[in-house]
Amino acid sequence: MQKSESIAALAASLAKAQGEFTAIAKNRNVKITMKSGGEFKFKYADLDAIIESTRPALSKNGLAIIQPIIDDKLLTIITHSSGEFIESSMPLPARIGEDPKQYGAHISYLRRYAYQSLVCVMADDDLDSNGDDLPKQPIHKTQQQPTQRLSNDVREAGVKDMKAAPDLSALQHVLKECHKLAKDIGDKESVVFFNNYYKECELAFA
């Protein structure tokens, strides 16, 4: 992370803006279909909804956020009218084998996480350790089998989300989501798998 020599004015204005943020509408639904036939659903706010809910307060307090792409990295920069700034960056995924629309979707995904991390807002269902936001059983699942295992596609999606996490807080949030998916079908092997990958990703924020 890069920042100006002083961020005192920026920090004061950001604190005021955060107190004025409006509620973020979770306008997107995601359904994950398990190989066993069960489903999990959760809601999140897309990038447009997050910007719409935060930009007025940011602008009112002399703040702006820009997200240029430079040298295969996504930069997320919050600037203040005083000239102070805070900048974070993350590498973009390899484009090999992806069409432009798919690659654009990946960039939008990273922009959303980077933006909400920088202004410190949550725009996803909070899948906490109590599991209150997900059903105790996968939807439409008739019988829980302790030997069931997450599909490779679901595992890879979890790994991709961990790689895309812009900071430790976001990384921990992704791990909780992955844990819920695995634990609700009794898949201890996948819990260990996600824990091991989490440890690797955690080193990037040490």
Side-chain angles (χ1 to χ4, degrees), residues 177-197:
E177 293 182 358
C178 293
H179 275 179
K180 282 300 302 171
L181 293 176
K183 289 179 179 179
D184 281 345
I185 62 169
D187 184 0
K188 295 181 180 180
E189 180 185 336
S190 288
V191 171
V192 174
F193 170 83
F194 288 130
N195 284 343
N196 289 337
Y197 204 87

Side-chain angles (χ1 to χ4, degrees), residues 83-104:
E84 297 175 354
F85 71 92
I86 298 174
E87 172 189 313
S88 68
S89 67
M90 66 174 68
L92 295 176
R95 191 171 177 173
I96 299 174
E98 292 187 328
D99 62 39
K101 288 184 178 180
Q102 185 179 16
Y103 190 68

Side-chain angles (χ1 to χ4, degrees), residues 18-39:
Q18 288 175 333
E20 299 172 10
F21 288 161
T22 60
I24 301 177
K26 296 175 182 177
N27 60 341
R28 290 288 183 269
N29 296 302
V30 173
K31 180 174 70 175
I32 298 176
T33 302
M34 310 301 294
K35 190 174 182 179
S36 61
E39 296 175 350

